[in-house]
Amino acid sequence: MTDRPKSERLFERAVKVIPGGVNSPVRAFAAVGGHPPFIERGQGAELFDCDGRRYLDFCGSWGPLILGHAHPEILDAINRTAARGTSFGAPTALEVELAELVVNKVGPVEKVRFVSSGTEAVMSAIRLARGFTGRDKIIKFNGCYHGHTDYLLVKAGSGLATFGTPSSAGVPEDFARLTLVADLDDEKSVDRYFNQYGDEIAGVVIEPIPANNGLLLQRRDFLAYLRQVTERHGALLIFDEVISGFRVGWGGAAGVFEIVPDLMTFGKVIGGGMPVGAFGGRADIMEKLAPLGPVYQAGTLSGNPVAMAAGLTTLHLLDKEDAFRKLETLGAHFEVALENCLAGQRCRVVRHGSIVWLVFQDEPPRRADHIQSSAIDRYNRMHRDILDHGVYLPPSGYEVMFVSLAHTVEMLDHAAQVIGDAAKRG
Ligand code: PMP
């Protein structure tokens, strides 16, 4: 590829010193072919690569950038906070402010703890569920991704789906043994485990809006059933809202579906583009954490002031901008525009609010094994063409697009046109 010479040279250097040239496997262009453009800067809904190319961005750093790139108020908060010191390893007011905001806005969260990534948030929530219940087994779902913790890297979607590996090497079978994998949209597959192991199951963890293996929208009934079955068996229900938290509404998917989980996990939007994760829920459960209780959990940079400032400013802006109503309007506009531009193609536009997935098959799937490989292949084949026409989509057909408040209807119409034209070419 000679049309991005600087990116190519950087990639050549990168692969010599970084495995695969990337610091997270989903950034590689393995599934879609070619090499990734190296990004120099972002502004609003646009990305600019080091070769001077400009892209309309629908990846949004994989979800965090709900207000777009380089939002001036967020940058200002980051700069002002950093000028006073970047880390203290001692409490700051910013942590309290963000925690109060989360507790006020998210019904099921009575107490919250901040960490530095979504992976850490879910790992800690599960340790807490195990410590609280005194049980070891957990149930997860085929196609739900919860970060790269050993026992959660089983049938996990995201990069694992893209690279066709059901589980990671290096995960001892003894760890994976404690993870029971059920199917989405299938009460019986969950029932079976509870019938067999009811009093050994610490919790059920699910992305209530599964968005890491396509967008597998669930029936509310199914999620309500998970609430009932966990309650009946003394297990905890954990909603992993690393993507959906502060993206689909103040209360996340729990608020949308009016289901109260015991614990919730957050990441992405809550950090405003800085490394933040969080987990929270019922006070009696959260109080089992050290220093109050026996469940240990810690982090040198947890609640980092610069990251807290970015998250806090992001959530304040979402409030001020009436964000979730606007994002729904933009998402609905994009859905219609895509449907129009893809008319006559074997394609469905699956959407919840500002989370959008294109799947090139007749029926939108509700579970991972109902995605046809031909649907993914079709997307992957079109990706480079779309990129070369200035629209940056996530580099795998299993990944979703994110609309931000920086997108305008004109941008959405333009992107839909580019995607539709690429589909006509093949
Ligand atoms: N849970 C979910 C639902 C996610 O989407 C992700 C990341 N895509 C994670 C957990 C892990 O978060 P992180 O990459 O910040 O560790």
Side-chain angles (χ1 to χ4, degrees):
M1 197 177 55
T2 51
D3 50 350
R4 292 181 186 82
K6 287 187 181 163
S7 287
E8 281 302 307
R9 272 201 299 280
L10 278 169
F11 190 72
E12 275 168 31
R13 282 169 57 193
V15 291
K16 288 187 184 141
V17 286
I18 302 171
V22 288
N23 280 308
S24 191
V26 293
R27 294 177 201 168
F29 272 38
V32 296
H35 302 145
F38 278 62
I39 304 302
E40 208 161 67
R41 66 187 182 92
Q43 186 62 58
E46 292 181 317
L47 283 174
F48 298 82
D49 74 13
C50 60
D51 290 290
R53 287 183 173 239
R54 177 185 183 137
Y55 308 93
L56 253 181
D57 179 25
F58 288 91
C59 189
S61 188
W62 303 87
L65 301 184
I66 197 162
L67 288 146
H69 295 270
H71 190 287
E73 287 185 49
I74 300 174
L75 291 187
D76 189 45
I78 290 173
N79 290 333
R80 274 187 293 113
T81 309
R84 291 196 290 263
T86 53
S87 180
F88 309 112
T92 63
L94 289 165
E95 298 161 80
V96 186
E97 271 180 59
L98 188 54
E100 284 172 347
L101 187 58
V102 172
V103 167
N104 287 337
K105 292 284 193 189
V106 188
V109 175
E110 294 171 349
K111 290 207 166 173
V112 61
R113 182 163 278 175
F114 296 112
V115 292
S116 299
S117 69
T119 295
E120 260 187 279
V122 188
M123 178 188 83
S124 307
I126 286 178
R127 181 180 306 140
L128 180 57
R130 286 173 162 158
F132 181 79
T133 58
R135 302 170 175 185
D136 290 341
K137 290 190 167 57
I138 53 160
I139 295 180
K140 80 173 283 292
F141 293 89
N142 185 6
C144 283
Y145 180 68
H146 303 291
H148 65 95
T149 308
D150 282 339
Y151 52 83
L152 290 168
L153 270 188
V154 187
K155 302 216 169 170
S158 193
L160 289 156
T162 302
F163 300 113
T165 41
S167 273
S168 170
V171 175
E173 234 167 70
D174 277 357
F175 293 8
R177 205 169 36 79
L178 297 173
T179 305
L180 310 172
V181 182
D183 286 312
L184 289 164
D185 192 41
D186 183 358
E187 284 86 344
K188 283 201 199 77
S189 77
V190 180
D191 251 346
R192 189 161 44 94
Y193 288 132
F194 272 105
N195 290 338
Q196 194 173 350
Y197 304 111
D199 58 359
E200 297 171 51
I201 296 171
V204 173
V205 61
I206 187 169
E207 291 178 76
I209 301 177
N212 274 292
N213 198 122
L215 183 57
L216 304 172
L217 299 180
Q218 297 300 293
R219 291 173 286 119
R220 183 190 181 277
D221 281 357
F222 179 65
L223 299 171
Y225 156 80
L226 295 180
R227 178 63 289 182
Q228 287 154 14
V229 75
T230 44
E231 218 156 64
R232 195 157 66 238
H233 289 274
L236 302 187
L237 179 61
I238 304 166
F239 274 5
D240 179 354
E241 303 232 27
V242 166
I243 287 182
S244 49
F246 305 104
R247 158 114 1 224
V248 300
W250 284 111
V256 169
F257 295 119
E258 298 183 328
I259 291 172
V260 181
D262 300 295
L263 293 173
M264 292 170 80
T265 58
F266 302 94
K268 303 195 191 261
V269 173
I270 201 174
M274 296 290 285
V276 181
F279 63 105
R282 269 168 47 194
D284 62 321
I285 303 173
M286 291 300 288
E287 283 167 6
K288 293 283 184 243
L289 281 175
L292 296 177
V295 179
Y296 197 71
Q297 186 279 329
T300 301
L301 292 173
S302 292
N304 173 269
V306 183
M308 294 289 104
L312 204 50
T313 308
T314 297
L315 298 195
H316 283 317
L317 286 166
L318 291 180
D319 212 1
K320 197 172 98 186
E321 303 262 337
D322 191 14
F324 303 116
R325 199 186 49 76
K326 282 189 193 156
L327 286 165
E328 169 57 30
T329 307
L330 288 170
H333 183 93
F334 194 34
E335 179 180 348
V336 172
L338 283 167
E339 275 169 356
N340 288 339
C341 293
L342 289 160
Q345 300 283 341
R346 212 174 147 232
C347 181
R348 297 296 293 256
V349 183
V350 185
R351 181 180 74 88
H352 186 118
S354 55
I355 311 171
V356 182
W357 183 46
L358 280 182
V359 60
F360 289 86
Q361 65 186 47
D362 293 324
E363 287 303 317
R366 288 191 188 279
R367 42 188 275 178
D369 54 351
H370 290 179
I371 302 174
Q372 295 163 12
S373 58
S374 60
I376 301 301
D377 291 346
R378 179 88 200 280
Y379 174 99
N380 290 351
R381 276 202 311 275
M382 288 165 46
H383 186 272
R384 171 64 54 177
D385 185 1
I386 294 168
L387 187 77
D388 286 344
H389 285 84
V391 175
Y392 191 99
L393 301 183
S396 161
Y398 288 106
E399 304 286 359
V400 296
M401 298 184 251
F402 293 103
V403 174
S404 78
L405 285 174
H407 287 96
T408 61
V409 291
E410 291 77 21
M411 289 171 173
L412 299 174
D413 287 340
H414 175 69
Q417 188 73 50
V418 167
I419 292 168
D421 289 349
K424 286 186 195 102
R425 286 190 288 270

